[in-house]
Amino acid sequence: MIPEETTRQVIEIARAAARAILTIYESDFTVNNKKDNSPLTQADLIAHQTITKGLTALTPNLPILSEESTIPPWDKRKHWRQYWLIDPLDGTREFIKRNGEFTVNIALIEDHLPVIGVVYVPVGNVCYYASRDHGAYKITGTSTSAIQTRKTDMNHIAVCGSRSHGNKKQQAFIKSLGQQSTMIAIGSSLKFCLVAEGSADVYLRFGLTSEWDTAAAHCIVNEAGGAVLDMHDQPLCYNDTASLLNPEFMVIGDKHFDWQPYLNSL
């Protein structure tokens, strides 16, 4: 059982990172490119520093794996039973566009699965969080409420899609659902959160993502009653192979609804 106090402390660390991000967001920041040509800003780095400092103070003996850190070799990582997995600024492209659709993602991984997940939305000061066996919640201002996924109704299907990474498969999937479906385009891990809170039914990701992109929100979806599965209906696992890339996956709110006929049409 995860102590609730630990989750509260992680929320405070994420909140501090969100405040640091906003100081950059409201300035004339510069954009650099990493070796893989993905964008990098000072906000990514200051959030990374804030989170790693906070988590190191909270759990000095646990490893931390961040998008902005040096990746330890697999020979070392494969022995980790428990570690922190973070994306200090998920949705850097949305940050650069200044559309507010970016998040701070912090997850605690235990035996290859996320057991704490915190997704903080700096613009709007909203936080989604969950821990194993404690349920999923949303903080808006000073109000905290439990969230849960919804039952899928084929007459009113809402599909989440990527704002910056949409593709033909995503479009074909939406078309296969018929005219009764609607598309919600939004950035970062907010797609998971919309499914978790019952605002959407499904999010399919066709294309590459990294484990730090999904882990925190994965925990929230699980605790809200949904699931994050690969295209063979198996849960995403973390630090299970040398690669830190996820397979294609789907985030579903209603675990009893069969999406396979629509996937088979692609």
Side-chain angles (χ1 to χ4, degrees), residues 173-188:
F173 173 72
I174 294 168
K175 185 177 181 180
S176 74
L177 297 173
Q179 294 182 348
Q180 67 272 30
S181 65
T182 58
M183 166 70 173
I184 304 171
I186 195 167
S188 71

Side-chain angles (χ1 to χ4, degrees), residues 21 24 39 47 116 133 141 178-179 186 196 207 219 228 236 255:
I21 287 170
I24 307 299
I116 290 178
D133 301 325
Q179 294 182 348
I186 195 167
C219 182
V228 181
L236 290 194
K255 291 188 288 187

Side-chain angles (χ1 to χ4, degrees), residues 122-137:
V123 175
N125 192 31
V126 173
C127 179
Y128 297 87
Y129 72 93
S131 60
R132 187 170 57 191
D133 301 325
H134 284 297
Y137 301 87

